[in-house]
Coordinates of all heavy atoms in Angstrom, one line a residue:
M1 N -109.7 57.8 23.9 CA -110.7 58.8 23.9 C -110.2 60.2 24.4 O -109.6 60.2 25.4 CB -111.9 58.3 24.7 CG -113.1 59.3 24.7 SD -114.4 58.4 25.6 CE -115.6 59.7 25.4
L2 N -110.5 61.2 23.7 CA -110.1 62.5 24.1 C -111.1 63.1 25.0 O -112.3 63.0 24.8 CB -109.8 63.4 22.9 CG -108.8 63.0 22.0 CD1 -108.8 63.9 20.7 CD2 -107.4 63.1 22.6
T3 N -110.7 63.8 26.1 CA -111.6 64.5 27.0 C -111.3 66.0 26.9 O -110.1 66.4 27.3 CB -111.3 64.0 28.4 OG1 -111.5 62.6 28.4 CG2 -112.3 64.6 29.4
P4 N -112.1 66.7 26.3 CA -111.9 68.2 26.2 C -111.8 68.8 27.6 O -112.5 68.5 28.5 CB -113.0 68.7 25.4 CG -114.1 67.7 25.5 CD -113.4 66.3 25.8
A5 N -110.9 69.9 27.6 CA -110.8 70.6 28.9 C -112.0 71.5 29.0 O -112.3 71.9 30.2 CB -109.5 71.4 29.0
E6 N -112.6 72.0 28.0 CA -113.8 72.8 28.1 C -115.0 72.1 27.6 O -114.9 71.1 26.9 CB -113.5 74.1 27.2 CG -112.2 74.9 27.6 CD -112.5 75.7 28.8 OE1 -113.7 75.9 29.2 OE2 -111.5 76.1 29.5
P7 N -116.2 72.6 28.0 CA -117.3 72.0 27.5 C -117.5 72.2 26.0 O -117.0 73.1 25.4 CB -118.5 72.7 28.2 CG -117.9 74.0 28.8 CD -116.4 73.7 28.9
P8 N -118.3 71.3 25.3 CA -118.5 71.5 23.8 C -119.0 72.9 23.6 O -119.8 73.4 24.3 CB -119.5 70.4 23.5 CG -119.5 69.4 24.7 CD -119.0 70.2 25.9
G9 N -118.5 73.4 22.5 CA -119.0 74.7 21.9 C -118.1 75.9 22.4 O -118.3 77.0 21.9
V10 N -117.2 75.7 23.3 CA -116.3 76.7 23.7 C -115.2 76.9 22.8 O -114.4 76.0 22.5 CB -115.7 76.4 25.1 CG1 -114.7 77.6 25.5 CG2 -116.9 76.4 26.2
P11 N -115.2 78.0 21.9 CA -114.1 78.2 21.0 C -112.7 78.2 21.6 O -112.4 78.9 22.6 CB -114.5 79.5 20.4 CG -115.8 79.8 20.8 CD -116.1 79.0 22.0
L12 N -111.8 77.4 21.0 CA -110.5 77.2 21.5 C -109.7 78.6 21.6 O -109.0 78.9 22.6 CB -109.6 76.3 20.7 CG -110.2 74.8 20.7 CD1 -109.4 73.9 19.8 CD2 -110.1 74.3 22.1
I13 N -109.7 79.3 20.5 CA -108.8 80.5 20.4 C -109.3 81.5 21.5 O -108.6 82.2 22.2 CB -108.8 81.1 19.1 CG1 -108.0 80.2 18.1 CG2 -108.1 82.5 19.1 CD1 -108.0 80.5 16.7
V14 N -110.7 81.7 21.5 CA -111.3 82.6 22.5 C -111.0 82.3 23.9 O -110.8 83.1 24.7 CB -112.8 82.7 22.1 CG1 -113.5 83.6 23.2 CG2 -113.1 83.3 20.9
A15 N -111.0 81.0 24.2 CA -110.9 80.5 25.6 C -109.5 80.4 26.1 O -109.3 80.5 27.3 CB -111.6 79.2 25.8
A16 N -108.5 80.3 25.1 CA -107.1 80.2 25.6 C -106.4 81.4 25.7 O -106.8 82.4 25.0 CB -106.4 79.2 24.5
P17 N -105.4 81.5 26.5 CA -104.6 82.8 26.6 C -103.9 82.9 25.2 O -103.5 82.0 24.5 CB -103.6 82.5 27.6 CG -103.6 81.1 28.0 CD -104.9 80.5 27.4
A18 N -103.7 84.2 24.8 CA -103.0 84.5 23.6 C -101.6 84.0 23.6 O -100.9 84.1 24.6 CB -103.1 86.0 23.3
K19 N -101.1 83.5 22.4 CA -99.7 83.0 22.3 C -98.8 84.0 21.6 O -99.4 84.7 20.7 CB -99.7 81.7 21.5 CG -100.7 80.7 22.0 CD -100.2 79.9 23.2 CE -101.1 78.8 23.6 NZ -102.5 79.1 24.0
P20 N -97.6 84.0 21.7 CA -96.8 85.0 21.0 C -96.3 84.4 19.6 O -95.2 84.1 19.2 CB -95.5 85.0 21.7 CG -95.3 83.8 22.5 CD -96.8 83.3 22.7
I21 N -97.4 84.3 18.7 CA -97.3 83.8 17.4 C -98.1 84.6 16.4 O -98.8 85.4 16.8 CB -97.7 82.3 17.3 CG1 -99.1 82.1 17.7 CG2 -96.8 81.3 18.0 CD1 -99.7 80.7 17.5
R22 N -97.7 84.5 15.1 CA -98.3 85.2 14.0 C -99.0 84.2 13.1 O -98.6 83.0 13.0 CB -97.3 86.0 13.3 CG -96.8 87.2 13.9 CD -95.8 87.9 13.1 NE -95.4 89.1 13.7 CZ -94.2 89.7 13.6 NH1 -93.3 89.1 12.9 NH2 -93.9 90.7 14.2
F23 N -100.1 84.5 12.5 CA -100.8 83.8 11.5 C -100.8 84.4 10.2 O -101.0 85.6 10.1 CB -102.3 83.5 12.0 CG -102.4 82.8 13.3 CD1 -102.4 83.4 14.5 CD2 -102.6 81.4 13.2 CE1 -102.6 82.7 15.6 CE2 -102.7 80.8 14.4 CZ -102.8 81.4 15.6
W24 N -100.7 83.6 9.3 CA -100.8 84.1 7.8 C -101.6 83.0 7.2 O -101.4 81.8 7.2 CB -99.5 84.2 7.1 CG -99.7 84.7 5.7 CD1 -99.7 86.1 5.2 CD2 -99.9 84.0 4.5 NE1 -99.9 86.2 3.9 CE2 -100.0 84.9 3.4 CE3 -100.1 82.6 4.2 CZ2 -100.4 84.4 2.1 CZ3 -100.3 82.2 2.9 CH2 -100.5 83.2 1.9
F25 N -102.7 83.4 6.5 CA -103.5 82.4 5.7 C -104.3 83.2 4.6 O -104.4 84.3 4.6 CB -104.4 81.6 6.6 CG -105.5 82.5 7.4 CD1 -106.7 82.4 7.1 CD2 -105.0 83.3 8.5 CE1 -107.8 83.1 7.9 CE2 -105.9 84.0 9.3 CZ -107.3 83.9 8.9
F26 N -104.7 82.3 3.6 CA -105.5 82.9 2.6 C -106.6 81.9 2.3 O -106.6 80.8 2.6 CB -104.7 83.1 1.3 CG -104.6 81.9 0.3 CD1 -105.6 81.7 -0.6 CD2 -103.5 81.0 0.5 CE1 -105.4 80.6 -1.5 CE2 -103.3 79.9 -0.3 CZ -104.3 79.7 -1.4
G27 N -107.7 82.5 1.8 CA -108.9 81.7 1.4 C -109.3 82.2 0.0 O -109.3 83.4 -0.4
G28 N -109.6 81.2 -0.8 CA -110.0 81.5 -2.2 C -111.6 81.5 -2.3 O -112.3 80.8 -1.5
D29 N -112.1 82.2 -3.2 CA -113.6 82.4 -3.3 C -114.1 81.0 -3.9 O -115.3 80.8 -3.9 CB -114.0 83.6 -4.1 CG -113.5 83.5 -5.5 OD1 -112.7 82.8 -5.9 OD2 -114.0 84.4 -6.3
Q30 N -113.2 80.1 -4.4 CA -113.7 78.8 -4.9 C -113.0 77.7 -4.1 O -112.9 76.6 -4.6 CB -113.2 78.7 -6.4 CG -113.8 79.8 -7.3 CD -113.2 79.8 -8.7 OE1 -112.6 78.8 -9.1 NE2 -113.4 80.8 -9.4
D31 N -112.7 77.9 -2.9 CA -112.1 77.0 -2.0 C -113.0 75.7 -1.8 O -114.1 75.9 -1.3 CB -111.8 77.6 -0.7 CG -110.7 76.8 0.1 OD1 -110.4 75.7 -0.2 OD2 -110.2 77.3 1.2
L32 N -112.4 74.6 -2.1 CA -113.1 73.3 -1.9 C -114.4 73.3 -2.7 O -115.5 72.9 -2.0 CB -113.2 72.9 -0.5 CG -112.0 72.6 0.1 CD1 -112.1 72.3 1.6 CD2 -111.2 71.5 -0.5
F33 N -114.5 73.8 -3.9 CA -115.7 73.9 -4.7 C -116.8 74.7 -4.2 O -118.0 74.6 -4.5 CB -116.2 72.5 -5.0 CG -115.1 71.6 -5.5 CD1 -114.6 70.6 -4.7 CD2 -114.5 71.7 -6.7 CE1 -113.6 69.7 -5.1 CE2 -113.6 70.9 -7.2 CZ -113.0 69.9 -6.4
Y34 N -116.6 75.8 -3.3 CA -117.6 76.6 -2.8 C -118.0 77.5 -3.8 O -117.1 78.1 -4.5 CB -117.1 77.4 -1.5 CG -118.1 78.3 -1.0 CD1 -119.1 77.9 -0.2 CD2 -118.1 79.6 -1.3 CE1 -120.1 78.7 0.2 CE2 -119.1 80.5 -1.0 CZ -120.1 80.0 -0.1 OH -121.1 80.8 0.3
P35 N -119.3 77.9 -4.0 CA -120.3 77.3 -3.2 C -120.7 76.0 -3.7 O -120.7 75.8 -4.9 CB -121.4 78.4 -3.3 CG -121.2 79.0 -4.7 CD -119.6 78.9 -4.9
N36 N -121.0 75.0 -2.9 CA -121.5 73.7 -3.2 C -122.9 73.5 -2.9 O -123.2 73.3 -1.7 CB -120.6 72.7 -2.4 CG -120.8 71.2 -3.0 OD1 -121.7 71.0 -3.6 ND2 -119.9 70.4 -2.6
P37 N -123.8 73.5 -3.8 CA -125.2 73.4 -3.5 C -125.6 72.0 -2.9 O -126.6 71.9 -2.4 CB -125.8 73.6 -4.9 CG -124.8 73.3 -5.9 CD -123.5 73.7 -5.2
T38 N -124.6 71.0 -3.1 CA -125.0 69.7 -2.7 C -124.7 69.6 -1.1 O -125.1 68.6 -0.5 CB -124.1 68.5 -3.3 OG1 -122.7 68.8 -3.1 CG2 -124.5 68.6 -4.8
I39 N -124.1 70.6 -0.4 CA -123.9 70.6 1.0 C -124.4 71.8 1.6 O -123.6 72.7 2.0 CB -122.3 70.4 1.3 CG1 -121.7 69.3 0.4 CG2 -122.1 70.1 2.7 CD1 -120.2 69.2 0.7
P40 N -125.7 72.0 1.6 CA -126.2 73.3 2.1 C -126.5 73.3 3.6 O -127.5 73.5 4.1 CB -127.6 73.5 1.3 CG -128.0 72.0 1.2 CD -126.7 71.2 1.0
D41 N -125.4 72.8 4.3 CA -125.6 72.7 5.8 C -125.1 74.0 6.6 O -125.1 73.9 7.8 CB -124.9 71.5 6.3 CG -123.4 71.5 5.9 OD1 -122.9 72.5 5.5 OD2 -122.7 70.4 6.2
G42 N -124.6 74.9 5.9 CA -124.1 76.1 6.6 C -122.8 75.9 7.4 O -122.2 76.8 8.0
M43 N -122.1 74.7 7.2 CA -120.8 74.4 7.8 C -119.8 74.3 6.8 O -118.5 74.2 7.2 CB -120.9 73.1 8.6 CG -121.9 73.2 9.7 SD -122.1 71.7 10.8 CE -121.0 70.5 10.0
H44 N -120.0 74.4 5.6 CA -118.9 74.2 4.6 C -118.7 75.5 3.7 O -118.3 75.4 2.6 CB -119.3 73.0 3.6 CG -119.2 71.7 4.3 ND1 -120.2 71.2 5.1 CD2 -118.1 70.9 4.4 CE1 -119.8 70.0 5.5 NE2 -118.6 69.7 5.2
D45 N -119.0 76.6 4.4 CA -118.7 77.9 3.7 C -117.4 78.3 4.1 O -117.2 79.1 5.1 CB -119.8 78.9 4.1 CG -119.7 80.2 3.4 OD1 -118.5 80.5 2.9 OD2 -120.6 81.0 3.3
W46 N -116.3 77.9 3.3 CA -114.9 78.2 3.7 C -114.6 79.7 3.6 O -113.8 80.1 4.4 CB -114.0 77.4 2.8 CG -114.4 75.9 2.7 CD1 -114.8 75.3 1.6 CD2 -114.4 75.0 3.8 NE1 -115.1 73.9 1.9 CE2 -114.9 73.7 3.3 CE3 -114.1 75.0 5.2 CZ2 -115.1 72.6 4.0 CZ3 -114.3 73.8 5.8 CH2 -114.7 72.7 5.3
T47 N -115.2 80.3 2.8 CA -115.1 81.8 2.7 C -115.5 82.4 4.0 O -114.7 83.3 4.6 CB -115.8 82.4 1.5 OG1 -115.3 81.7 0.2 CG2 -115.6 83.8 1.4
L48 N -116.7 82.2 4.4 CA -117.2 82.7 5.7 C -116.3 82.2 6.9 O -116.0 83.0 7.8 CB -118.7 82.3 5.9 CG -119.2 82.8 7.2 CD1 -119.3 84.2 7.4 CD2 -120.7 82.1 7.4
S49 N -115.9 80.9 7.0 CA -115.1 80.4 8.0 C -113.8 81.2 8.1 O -113.4 81.5 9.1 CB -114.9 78.9 7.8 OG -116.0 78.3 7.9
N50 N -113.2 81.4 7.0 CA -111.9 82.1 7.0 C -112.1 83.6 7.5 O -111.3 84.2 8.3 CB -111.2 82.2 5.6 CG -110.6 80.8 5.3 OD1 -109.9 80.3 6.2 ND2 -110.6 80.5 4.1
A51 N -113.2 84.3 7.1 CA -113.5 85.6 7.5 C -113.7 85.6 9.1 O -113.3 86.5 9.7 CB -114.6 86.2 6.8
L52 N -114.4 84.7 9.6 CA -114.7 84.6 11.0 C -113.4 84.3 11.8 O -113.2 84.8 12.8 CB -115.7 83.5 11.3 CG -117.2 83.8 10.8 CD1 -118.1 82.6 11.0 CD2 -117.7 85.0 11.4
M53 N -112.5 83.5 11.2 CA -111.3 83.3 11.9 C -110.4 84.5 12.0 O -109.9 84.8 13.1 CB -110.4 82.2 11.1 CG -109.0 81.9 11.7 SD -109.1 81.4 13.4 CE -109.5 79.6 13.2
A54 N -110.4 85.3 10.9 CA -109.7 86.5 11.0 C -110.3 87.5 12.1 O -109.5 88.1 12.7 CB -109.8 87.2 9.6
K55 N -111.6 87.5 12.2 CA -112.2 88.3 13.1 C -111.9 87.9 14.6 O -111.5 88.7 15.5 CB -113.8 88.2 13.0 CG -114.5 89.0 13.9 CD -116.0 89.0 13.6 CE -116.9 89.9 14.5 NZ -117.4 89.3 15.7
V56 N -111.8 86.6 14.8 CA -111.4 86.1 16.2 C -110.0 86.4 16.5 O -109.7 86.8 17.6 CB -111.7 84.5 16.2 CG1 -111.1 83.9 17.5 CG2 -113.2 84.2 16.2
L57 N -109.1 86.2 15.5 CA -107.8 86.5 15.7 C -107.6 88.0 16.0 O -106.8 88.4 16.9 CB -106.9 86.1 14.5 CG -106.8 84.6 14.3 CD1 -106.1 84.4 12.9 CD2 -106.1 83.9 15.4
A58 N -108.2 88.9 15.3 CA -108.1 90.3 15.5 C -108.7 90.7 16.9 O -108.0 91.4 17.7 CB -109.0 91.0 14.5
E59 N -109.8 90.1 17.3 CA -110.3 90.4 18.7 C -109.4 89.9 19.9 O -109.4 90.5 20.8 CB -111.8 89.8 18.8 CG -112.8 90.4 18.0 CD -114.2 89.8 17.9 OE1 -114.2 88.6 18.5 OE2 -115.1 90.3 17.4
K60 N -108.7 88.8 19.6 CA -107.8 88.2 20.6 C -106.5 89.0 20.6 O -105.7 88.8 21.5 CB -107.6 86.8 20.3 CG -106.9 86.0 21.4 CD -107.9 85.9 22.6 CE -107.3 85.0 23.6 NZ -108.0 84.6 24.7
G61 N -106.3 89.9 19.5 CA -105.0 90.6 19.6 C -103.8 90.0 18.9 O -102.8 90.4 19.0
Y62 N -104.1 88.9 18.1 CA -103.0 88.3 17.4 C -102.5 89.1 16.2 O -103.2 89.8 15.6 CB -103.5 86.9 16.9 CG -103.5 85.8 17.9 CD1 -104.6 85.3 18.5 CD2 -102.3 85.2 18.2 CE1 -104.5 84.2 19.4 CE2 -102.1 84.2 19.1 CZ -103.3 83.7 19.7 OH -103.3 82.7 20.7
H63 N -101.3 88.8 15.9 CA -100.7 89.5 14.6 C -101.1 88.4 13.6 O -100.6 87.3 13.6 CB -99.2 89.6 14.7 CG -98.8 90.5 15.8 ND1 -97.8 91.4 15.6 CD2 -99.3 90.7 17.1 CE1 -97.6 92.1 16.7 NE2 -98.4 91.7 17.6
Y64 N -101.9 88.8 12.5 CA -102.2 87.9 11.5 C -102.3 88.7 10.2 O -102.4 89.9 10.2 CB -103.5 87.2 11.9 CG -104.8 88.1 11.6 CD1 -105.4 88.1 10.5 CD2 -105.2 89.0 12.6 CE1 -106.5 88.9 10.3 CE2 -106.3 89.8 12.4 CZ -107.0 89.7 11.2 OH -108.0 90.6 11.0
Q65 N -102.3 87.9 9.2 CA -102.5 88.5 7.8 C -103.4 87.5 7.1 O -103.0 86.3 6.9 CB -101.2 88.6 7.1 CG -101.2 89.7 6.0 CD -99.8 89.9 5.4 OE1 -99.3 89.0 4.8 NE2 -99.3 91.0 5.7
F66 N -104.6 88.0 6.6 CA -105.5 87.1 5.8 C -105.7 87.7 4.5 O -106.1 88.9 4.4 CB -106.8 87.0 6.6 CG -107.9 86.4 5.8 CD1 -107.7 85.1 5.3 CD2 -109.1 87.1 5.6 CE1 -108.8 84.5 4.5 CE2 -110.1 86.5 4.9 CZ -109.9 85.3 4.2
L67 N -105.5 86.9 3.5 CA -105.8 87.3 2.1 C -107.0 86.7 1.6 O -107.0 85.4 1.6 CB -104.6 87.0 1.2 CG -103.3 87.6 1.5 CD1 -102.3 87.3 0.5 CD2 -103.4 89.3 1.5
F68 N -108.0 87.3 1.1 CA -109.1 86.7 0.3 C -108.8 86.9 -1.1 O -108.6 88.0 -1.6 CB -110.4 87.4 0.7 CG -111.5 86.9 0.0 CD1 -112.2 85.7 0.3 CD2 -112.2 87.6 -1.1 CE1 -113.2 85.2 -0.4 CE2 -113.2 87.1 -1.8 CZ -113.7 85.9 -1.4
V69 N -108.7 85.7 -1.8 CA -108.2 85.7 -3.1 C -109.3 85.3 -4.1 O -110.0 84.3 -3.9 CB -107.0 84.8 -3.3 CG1 -106.5 84.8 -4.7 CG2 -106.0 85.1 -2.2
R70 N -109.6 86.2 -5.1 CA -110.6 85.9 -6.1 C -110.1 84.9 -7.1 O -108.9 84.9 -7.4 CB -111.1 87.1 -6.7 CG -111.7 88.0 -5.8 CD -113.1 88.6 -6.3 NE -113.5 89.5 -5.3 CZ -114.6 89.3 -4.6 NH1 -115.2 88.1 -4.7 NH2 -115.1 90.1 -3.7
N71 N -111.0 84.0 -7.6 CA -110.6 83.1 -8.7 C -109.5 82.1 -8.1 O -108.7 81.5 -9.0 CB -110.3 83.7 -9.9 CG -111.4 84.6 -10.5 OD1 -112.5 84.2 -10.6 ND2 -111.0 85.8 -10.8
A72 N -109.5 81.8 -6.9 CA -108.5 80.9 -6.3 C -109.3 79.7 -5.7 O -110.3 79.8 -5.2 CB -107.7 81.5 -5.3
K73 N -108.6 78.6 -5.8 CA -109.2 77.3 -5.2 C -108.4 77.0 -4.0 O -107.5 77.7 -3.4 CB -109.1 76.3 -6.2 CG -110.0 76.5 -7.5 CD -109.7 75.5 -8.5 CE -110.7 75.7 -9.8 NZ -110.4 76.9 -10.4
H74 N -108.7 75.7 -3.4 CA -107.9 75.3 -2.3 C -106.5 75.0 -2.5 O -106.1 74.3 -3.4 CB -108.6 73.9 -1.8 CG -108.2 73.5 -0.4 ND1 -108.3 74.1 0.7 CD2 -107.3 72.4 -0.1 CE1 -107.8 73.5 1.7 NE2 -107.1 72.5 1.2
V75 N -105.6 75.7 -1.8 CA -104.1 75.6 -1.9 C -103.8 75.8 -3.3 O -103.2 75.1 -4.1 CB -103.6 74.3 -1.4 CG1 -102.1 74.2 -1.4 CG2 -104.1 73.8 -0.1
D76 N -104.3 77.0 -3.9 CA -104.1 77.4 -5.3 C -102.7 77.7 -5.5 O -102.1 78.7 -4.9 CB -105.0 78.5 -5.5 CG -105.0 79.0 -6.9 OD1 -105.8 78.4 -7.7 OD2 -104.3 80.0 -7.2
R77 N -102.0 76.9 -6.4 CA -100.6 77.0 -6.6 C -100.1 78.5 -7.1 O -99.2 79.1 -6.7 CB -100.0 76.0 -7.6 CG -100.0 74.7 -6.9 CD -99.6 73.5 -7.9 NE -99.7 72.3 -7.3 CZ -98.8 71.4 -7.0 NH1 -97.5 71.8 -7.2 NH2 -99.0 70.3 -6.4
P78 N -100.9 79.1 -8.1 CA -100.5 80.4 -8.5 C -100.5 81.5 -7.4 O -99.7 82.4 -7.3 CB -101.5 80.7 -9.7 CG -101.9 79.4 -10.2 CD -101.9 78.5 -9.0
T79 N -101.5 81.3 -6.6 CA -101.7 82.3 -5.5 C -100.6 82.1 -4.4 O -100.0 83.1 -4.1 CB -103.1 82.0 -4.7 OG1 -104.1 82.3 -5.7 CG2 -103.2 83.1 -3.7
I80 N -100.2 80.9 -4.1 CA -99.1 80.6 -3.2 C -97.8 81.0 -3.8 O -97.0 81.8 -3.1 CB -99.1 79.2 -2.9 CG1 -100.3 78.7 -2.0 CG2 -97.7 78.8 -2.2 CD1 -100.4 77.2 -1.8
A81 N -97.5 80.9 -5.0 CA -96.3 81.3 -5.7 C -96.2 82.8 -5.6 O -95.1 83.3 -5.4 CB -96.2 80.9 -7.2
Q82 N -97.3 83.5 -5.7 CA -97.3 85.0 -5.7 C -97.2 85.5 -4.3 O -96.6 86.6 -4.1 CB -98.6 85.6 -6.4 CG -98.5 85.3 -7.8 CD -99.9 85.8 -8.4 OE1 -100.3 87.0 -8.2 NE2 -100.6 85.0 -9.2
T83 N -97.6 84.8 -3.4 CA -97.8 85.4 -1.9 C -96.8 84.8 -0.9 O -96.5 85.4 0.1 CB -99.2 85.2 -1.4 OG1 -99.5 83.8 -1.3 CG2 -100.2 85.9 -2.2
L84 N -96.3 83.6 -1.1 CA -95.5 83.0 -0.2 C -94.3 83.6 0.3 O -94.0 83.8 1.5 CB -95.2 81.5 -0.5 CG -94.5 80.6 0.5 CD1 -95.3 80.5 1.9 CD2 -94.1 79.3 0.0
P85 N -93.5 84.2 -0.7 CA -92.2 84.9 -0.3 C -92.5 86.1 0.6 O -91.9 86.2 1.7 CB -91.6 85.4 -1.6 CG -92.1 84.4 -2.6 CD -93.6 84.1 -2.1
S86 N -93.5 86.9 0.4 CA -93.7 88.0 1.2 C -94.4 87.6 2.5 O -94.2 88.2 3.6 CB -94.6 89.1 0.5 OG -95.8 88.6 0.2
A87 N -95.2 86.5 2.5 CA -95.8 85.9 3.7 C -94.8 85.5 4.6 O -94.9 85.7 5.8 CB -96.8 84.8 3.3
L88 N -93.8 84.7 4.2 CA -92.8 84.2 5.0 C -91.9 85.4 5.7 O -91.5 85.4 6.9 CB -91.8 83.2 4.3 CG -92.4 81.9 3.9 CD1 -91.5 81.2 2.9 CD2 -92.8 81.1 5.2
E89 N -91.7 86.4 4.8 CA -90.9 87.5 5.4 C -91.8 88.2 6.4 O -91.3 88.6 7.5 CB -90.7 88.5 4.3 CG -89.9 89.7 4.7 CD -89.7 90.7 3.5 OE1 -89.8 90.4 2.3 OE2 -89.3 91.9 3.9
W90 N -93.1 88.3 6.3 CA -93.9 89.1 7.2 C -94.0 88.2 8.5 O -94.0 88.7 9.6 CB -95.4 89.2 6.6 CG -96.3 89.7 7.7 CD1 -96.5 91.2 7.9 CD2 -97.2 89.1 8.6 NE1 -97.4 91.3 8.9 CE2 -97.9 90.1 9.3 CE3 -97.4 87.8 8.8 CZ2 -98.7 89.7 10.3 CZ3 -98.4 87.4 9.7 CH2 -99.0 88.4 10.5
V91 N -94.2 86.9 8.5 CA -94.3 86.1 9.6 C -93.1 86.1 10.5 O -93.1 86.1 11.7 CB -94.5 84.6 9.2 CG1 -94.3 83.6 10.4 CG2 -95.9 84.4 8.6
W92 N -91.8 86.2 9.9 CA -90.6 86.2 10.7 C -90.1 87.6 11.1 O -89.2 87.8 11.9 CB -89.5 85.4 9.9 CG -89.9 84.0 10.0 CD1 -90.4 83.2 9.0 CD2 -89.9 83.1 11.2 NE1 -90.5 82.0 9.4 CE2 -90.2 81.8 10.7 CE3 -89.4 83.2 12.5 CZ2 -90.4 80.8 11.5 CZ3 -89.5 82.1 13.4 CH2 -90.0 80.9 12.9
K93 N -90.6 88.6 10.4 CA -90.1 90.0 10.6 C -90.4 90.4 12.1 O -91.5 90.4 12.5 CB -90.8 90.9 9.6 CG -90.3 92.3 9.8 CD -90.9 93.2 8.7 CE -90.3 94.6 8.8 NZ -91.0 95.5 7.9
G94 N -89.3 90.8 12.8 CA -89.5 91.3 14.2 C -89.8 90.2 15.1 O -90.1 90.5 16.3
Y95 N -89.7 88.9 14.7 CA -90.0 87.9 15.7 C -88.8 87.7 16.7 O -87.7 87.9 16.3 CB -90.2 86.5 14.9 CG -90.7 85.4 15.8 CD1 -92.0 85.3 16.1 CD2 -89.8 84.5 16.5 CE1 -92.5 84.3 16.9 CE2 -90.3 83.5 17.3 CZ -91.7 83.4 17.5 OH -92.2 82.4 18.3
P96 N -89.0 87.5 18.0 CA -90.3 87.2 18.7 C -91.1 88.5 18.9 O -90.6 89.5 19.0 CB -89.9 86.5 19.9 CG -88.6 87.0 20.2 CD -87.8 87.3 18.9
I97 N -92.4 88.2 19.0 CA -93.3 89.3 19.3 C -93.1 89.6 20.8 O -93.1 88.8 21.7 CB -94.8 88.9 19.0 CG1 -94.9 88.5 17.6 CG2 -95.7 90.0 19.5 CD1 -96.2 87.7 17.2
P98 N -92.9 91.0 21.1 CA -92.7 91.4 22.6 C -94.0 91.2 23.3 O -95.1 91.1 22.9 CB -92.3 92.8 22.4 CG -92.7 93.3 21.0 CD -92.9 92.1 20.2

């Protein structure tokens, strides 16, 4: 059984000290079949979740790059093929972060 260090509901990124790492991620507007009318619970909006993650990373001062991709699905191969080379270059450029 895992015992969390913080009470339930405390966001991990907000509560933890910033790390010297960079994030790169993308979200597609059709990620995991979103919008999915069969799961109207407000928790499966991947587009909104990715936007909120980008906001948290920005507020914490992380170096990140987030792409919102139209007509892309979850781990969309054409999108990855087009963005991965420049993403890898961006992630490692100037590393480590001072």
